[in-house]
Amino acid sequence: MASADGVEKLEDAIVRSAEQVAGQIRAAKEAISTVIFGQDRVIENTLVTILSGGHALLIGVPGLAKTKLVETLGVTLGLDAKRIQFTPDLMPSDILGAEVLDESNSGKRSFRFIAGPVFAQLLMADEINRASPRTQSALLQAMQEQHITVAGARHDLPKPFHVLATQNPLEQEGTYPLPEAQLDRFLMEIDVDYPDRDAERRILFETTGAEETLAKASMNAEILIAAQRLVRRLPVGDSVVEAILSLVRAARPDPDGGDKLIAWGPGPRASQSLMLAVRARALLDGRLAPSIDDVLDLAEPILKHRMALTFSARAEGRTIPDVIKQLKTRIG
């Protein structure tokens, strides 16, 4: 009986924490929306990524407020935000940092580590595909390992640590596309589309006047870390788990050779990402458990950079979003 009472108290504590955190997250979302207009879905998916403890790849043409979004997130969530503009001549040491030789007044020499911009809680990697694979891999290893090694010494990155990388889908000349294994390090690929007419009208008035709306802090790093822990404690129903497994496994090549649309598909990391993301989305909406609708809504941004179509499928004009939409009908 005592154990049952303990379980009830634990559940009550989770419910109270969820209600409090959900309110803080919604306040942060509203604060971001006062600065970024017409990108509600992008804001939501970015917050879901951060609540899940992951990294996001933002795909969009120039001028759609991708950089502004990251700056606003840093202020609103109370995180130390930095930006790296990726260029072909960028070196790994420009990101990670380097050791320099110091000489004291007594003449004694020693090496001192100077931390690079990767030591931030929220890092924007602008135009990540413009840097060489060597530089890309230095950042992506830091994303995965949460620490770096310079001259044999380990340096832990701050917590929380999130990377929001951007890519321009138009100009691909002189770029280094991310390999599939490195794309898999991103929890989501978020498409940033053009705003609608009403949102663009609001942008005109809000950003070209004498005064511009500035972001306000709604959270801090400690609250965010607590929210990320809470996300992992939210219960997930068996139907949602089965929907995640069915969807991810259906996005892989058919071993029987029946459906020849998919060349290769997502691994277990996609299932893990989807499991965390649906919980985070439920918490963002003020719910204590995710639903199958969460799985369907988050399927495309989590799966599309983790799969590829066969040559015959591409020749027929099929696209990855179309195939994912077809797969979703099987569990919808």
Side-chain angles (χ1 to χ4, degrees), residues 89-109:
D89 59 347
L90 194 71
M91 299 297 291
S93 58
D94 297 328
I95 296 175
L96 306 181
E99 287 198 328
V100 296
L101 185 62
D102 274 351
E103 184 173 351
S104 64
N105 294 332
S106 61
K108 184 179 179 180
R109 295 180 179 180

Side-chain angles (χ1 to χ4, degrees), residues 1 8 35 38 41 88 94-95 100 187 224 250 252 254 263 277-278 285 297 314:
M1 192 70 175
E8 289 180 2
V35 180
R41 188 63 181 268
D94 297 328
I95 296 175
V100 296
L187 186 136
L224 178 58
R252 298 169 184 165
D254 188 350
V278 295
D285 289 344
D297 288 341
R314 286 182 278 119

Side-chain angles (χ1 to χ4, degrees), residues 104-150:
S104 64
N105 294 332
S106 61
K108 184 179 179 180
R109 295 180 179 180
S110 62
F111 284 100
R112 176 171 59 91
F113 176 69
I114 299 178
V118 75
F119 287 87
Q121 294 173 320
L122 184 65
L123 179 67
M124 180 177 187
D126 208 357
E127 301 274 13
I128 188 173
N129 58 333
R130 294 206 172 277
S132 67
R134 182 183 177 189
T135 303
Q136 290 176 5
S137 62
L139 174 62
L140 293 163
Q141 183 181 10
M143 290 165 50
Q144 183 69 19
E145 305 296 336
Q146 302 289 308
H147 69 264
I148 65 169
T149 303
V150 176

Side-chain angles (χ1 to χ4, degrees), residues 15-27:
V15 169
R16 287 195 299 270
S17 298
E19 290 174 348
Q20 181 181 1
V21 169
Q24 293 168 328
I25 295 170
R26 284 197 297 272

Side-chain angles (χ1 to χ4, degrees), residues 221-293:
E222 289 74 19
I223 295 174
L224 178 58
I225 291 173
Q228 291 172 344
R229 289 175 182 156
L230 181 61
V231 164
R232 292 177 173 268
R233 298 175 67 187
L234 292 183
V236 182
D238 288 340
S239 61
V240 176
V241 174
E242 291 302 319
I244 291 172
L245 290 172
S246 299
L247 183 62
V248 174
R249 295 180 68 83
R252 298 169 184 165
D254 188 350
D256 298 328
D259 191 348
K260 298 185 180 299
L261 293 176
I262 301 171
W264 55 267
R269 187 178 287 164
S271 304
Q272 296 170 328
S273 299
L274 199 48
M275 187 78 159
L276 288 171
V278 295
R279 286 167 161 167
R281 188 172 190 264
L283 185 62
L284 185 63
D285 289 344
R287 292 178 281 116
L288 297 178
S291 66
I292 293 179
D293 288 338

Side-chain angles (χ1 to χ4, degrees), residues 33-89:
S33 299
T34 61
V35 180
I36 307 296
F37 315 121
Q39 300 290 357
D40 292 341
R41 188 63 181 268
V42 174
I43 294 171
E44 178 179 309
N45 284 347
T46 306
L47 285 173
V48 166
T49 301
I50 292 176
L51 284 173
S52 303
H55 314 284
L57 185 63
L58 303 173
I59 308 292
V61 300
L64 294 182
K66 298 186 294 297
T67 303
K68 187 72 172 177
L69 171 62
V70 179
E71 293 175 356
T72 305
L73 278 167
V75 174
T76 305
L77 300 180
L79 302 179
D80 174 28
K82 294 181 182 177
R83 175 187 176 187
I84 303 174
Q85 183 68 49
F86 278 63
T87 55
D89 59 347

